[in-house]
Amino acid sequence: MLQHSKQLVIAIVDDHPIVIEGLKNLLASETGFDIVSFTTGGQFMNYLKTQEVHVVLLDIVLPDANGLELCKDIKKKYPDITILAISNQAERSIIMQMLQNGASGYLLKNAAADELLACIENGMKGEPALSKEAREIMSRPAPNDWNGIPSLTKREKEILRLISEGFSSTDIADKLYLSQLTVETHRRNIIQKFRTNNMFSVIKLAIEHKMI
């Protein structure tokens, strides 16, 4: 059990209710936690205006915000909050940017309960807080070290294909039943994974390597 002198307030920011419930269940054994949850970045930022939070478990893809940018915004306004990214994004470049934007750690959503608790503890102490899989990803060579092409999630491949076919973010959102902001977040993540500055370069590389 984690030992702290006061009740810790942990916020979960994720747009999937089943993920929120799963994280709450993982943390249920820790009686020293008060847990609050939010499905959008806006809800969480409004909460912070009047309430104290010590740790936030932050998803990267949210319906109203890019978690990478939200992390930077949180640390700028509330530097004492410990931010742990918790995501399905298993790309080294995404993990790196999240850490550069102020996150204390990064966990994949398949992390075990003891990993989650250890990362919270380490993050609160200012120590590196990476889950086992995240550590393994960070230990691999960077893409520019081996000229590799990044792996994309099924949704990212779908969105990239539609972009290459000329569909706008609005069209893609309607077609895939997503919010336009979610599509834009995926677009930014795809560009980040390819380590380029624009979608044109991404499409060019994707075509050259027969990804689309």
Side-chain angles (χ1 to χ4, degrees):
M1 176 177 288
L2 305 183
Q3 299 295 326
H4 296 281
S5 59
K6 62 180 178 179
Q7 194 87 350
L8 285 182
V9 179
I10 298 181
I12 302 168
V13 185
D14 195 295
D15 63 332
H16 294 93
I18 193 167
V19 172
I20 289 175
E21 289 306 310
L23 289 170
K24 285 181 176 178
N25 288 337
L26 288 178
L27 297 170
S29 63
E30 295 296 321
T31 56
F33 294 162
D34 280 338
I35 303 171
V36 292
S37 61
F38 308 88
T39 55
T40 70
Q43 290 173 353
F44 178 58
M45 294 305 287
N46 284 333
Y47 181 85
L48 287 179
K49 292 176 182 178
T50 59
Q51 303 294 329
E52 185 179 28
V53 168
H54 302 103
V55 179
V56 56
L57 304 178
L58 179 64
D59 193 9
I60 290 178
V61 179
L62 296 167
D64 70 330
N66 178 344
L68 293 166
E69 295 304 318
L70 183 59
C71 176
K72 186 187 295 184
D73 193 30
I74 294 168
K75 290 302 287 188
K76 181 178 179 181
K77 295 176 180 176
Y78 309 97
D80 292 336
I81 292 179
T82 298
I83 301 173
L84 301 178
I86 184 158
S87 174
N88 286 321
Q89 299 281 350
E91 281 295 323
R92 189 179 192 273
S93 59
I94 297 292
I95 298 173
M96 280 293 296
Q97 186 166 346
M98 199 68 182
L99 297 175
Q100 289 167 358
N101 286 2
S104 297
Y106 197 104
L107 299 95
L108 278 296
K109 286 187 176 178
N110 60 359
D114 58 345
E115 286 187 287
L116 175 61
L117 294 174
C119 283
I120 292 173
E121 181 80 351
N122 289 341
M124 290 291 294
K125 292 190 294 187
E127 298 175 359
L130 299 173
S131 66
K132 179 182 177 182
E133 189 171 349
R135 286 197 305 271
E136 291 173 354
I137 292 167
M138 291 298 290
S139 69
R140 298 170 192 163
N144 57 2
D145 292 337
W146 52 278
N147 298 319
I149 292 298
S151 62
L152 301 180
T153 65
K154 182 179 179 182
R155 178 66 83 191
E156 288 168 343
K157 289 177 182 176
E158 194 173 23
I159 289 173
L160 179 57
R161 177 180 58 79
L162 291 171
I163 292 172
S164 71
E165 293 173 2
F167 288 93
S168 68
S169 292
T170 303
D171 294 333
I172 295 171
D174 291 341
K175 200 174 188 67
L176 300 181
Y177 303 101
L178 300 171
S179 73
Q180 186 173 339
L181 190 55
T182 295
V183 174
E184 289 294 337
T185 298
H186 281 301
R187 285 177 68 110
R188 285 192 292 269
N189 286 343
I190 291 167
I191 291 171
Q192 173 68 23
K193 285 185 176 185
F194 274 84
R195 305 176 77 87
T196 66
N197 295 320
N198 56 68
M199 186 55 71
F200 177 80
S201 298
V202 169
I203 292 172
K204 183 174 181 291
L205 285 169
I207 291 173
E208 287 176 357
H209 291 82
K210 298 180 173 53
M211 297 179 69
I212 53 177

